[in-house]
Amino acid sequence: MTDSHKFILTAALLLTGFSVHAASPGAFFSDGKKGKQAVSLTFDDGPGEYTRKVLDILDAHKIKATFFINGDQAELRPAIARETAQRGHEIAEHTYSHINFYAYEKKHGLDQTRTKIRDEITRSKSAIEKACGVKPTLCRMPHGYNKKWLSEIGKEQGYVFVNWTFGEDWLNIPKDKMAREYVQHVKSGAILLFHDGGKRRENTLYVLEEVIAEAKRKNLSFLKVSEIIE
């Protein structure tokens, strides 16, 4: 195939809504492609009280990130959810109410867990679309819940599942220690987990600035999750 033919095929696929190298629904990632020379910044549990502060930091550095939104929080703060999308960030799903499905499965069994996950994802997808005007194609399960059979649900919902390379900003540890540990994981292909939802995220804001500085020092760019896993 000549270069001109490749160009025509790529253009045709894009015009019809297909990405040439998009990850398939049902796939699972915890890292991006190392050859990308980039990192991906991701934020969970929002929109919350700290979301706009996170957005301001990202805007100041001209960075686009991926926000894994909870459906109940999108209903609680629809204006912030919409603003996140309008500022050009990628909107993804984090289920409706952030259930710990490891504990849920242990208590209720696998069949009820499957049913509950489908309900949580469906409710969240609807809430996010209503708030943001965006249909998410990525999902991160709470607590990193990961089972092979989730691929079935991913295919049904059109979702790629994404965990993370490193993240610990929810832990009660000194911010300098936390920053050092995050910085150690600023490497090509890293998907870094932060939280804009929840309370007491001052450490997150501090560490985020340190991570951005380290990535720039290493000449790494910043990609949305859908871009870094392609």
Side-chain angles (χ1 to χ4, degrees), residues 103-120:
Y104 190 95
E105 182 182 339
K106 186 175 181 179
K107 181 177 180 180
H108 298 284
L110 182 56
D111 288 343
Q112 287 192 44
T113 301
R114 289 176 188 261
T115 299
K116 187 65 174 177
I117 287 175
R118 282 188 170 93
D119 176 66
E120 282 277 309

Side-chain angles (χ1 to χ4, degrees), residues 7 17 29 65 74 91 116 123-124 129 146 159 164 188 201 225:
F7 176 81
F29 295 86
I91 303 300
K116 187 65 174 177
R123 289 182 69 192
S124 185
E129 287 188 41
N146 177 29
Y159 277 160
W164 57 90
S188 178
R201 299 300 186 197
V225 166

Side-chain angles (χ1 to χ4, degrees), residues 36-43 57-66 88-90 185-192 194 207-229:
K36 291 284 187 176
Q37 293 301 309
V39 297
S40 185
L41 306 181
T42 70
F43 300 87
I57 291 173
L58 296 174
D59 279 357
H61 294 279
K62 299 180 179 179
I63 293 170
K64 301 304 178 187
T66 300
H89 300 287
E90 184 167 49
H185 290 84
V186 177
K187 300 175 182 178
S188 178
I191 298 174
L192 300 173
F194 300 94
V207 172
L208 177 58
E209 292 277 17
E210 295 295 306
V211 165
I212 292 171
E214 179 67 9
K216 289 182 176 181
R217 188 184 71 79
K218 292 180 176 177
N219 293 316
L220 297 173
S221 59
F222 299 89
L223 295 176
K224 301 172 186 177
V225 166
S226 61
E227 297 168 335
I228 206 166
I229 65 174

Side-chain angles (χ1 to χ4, degrees), residues 14 30 65 72 74 149 161 209:
L14 292 174
S30 58
D72 59 353
W149 54 262
F161 289 101
E209 292 277 17

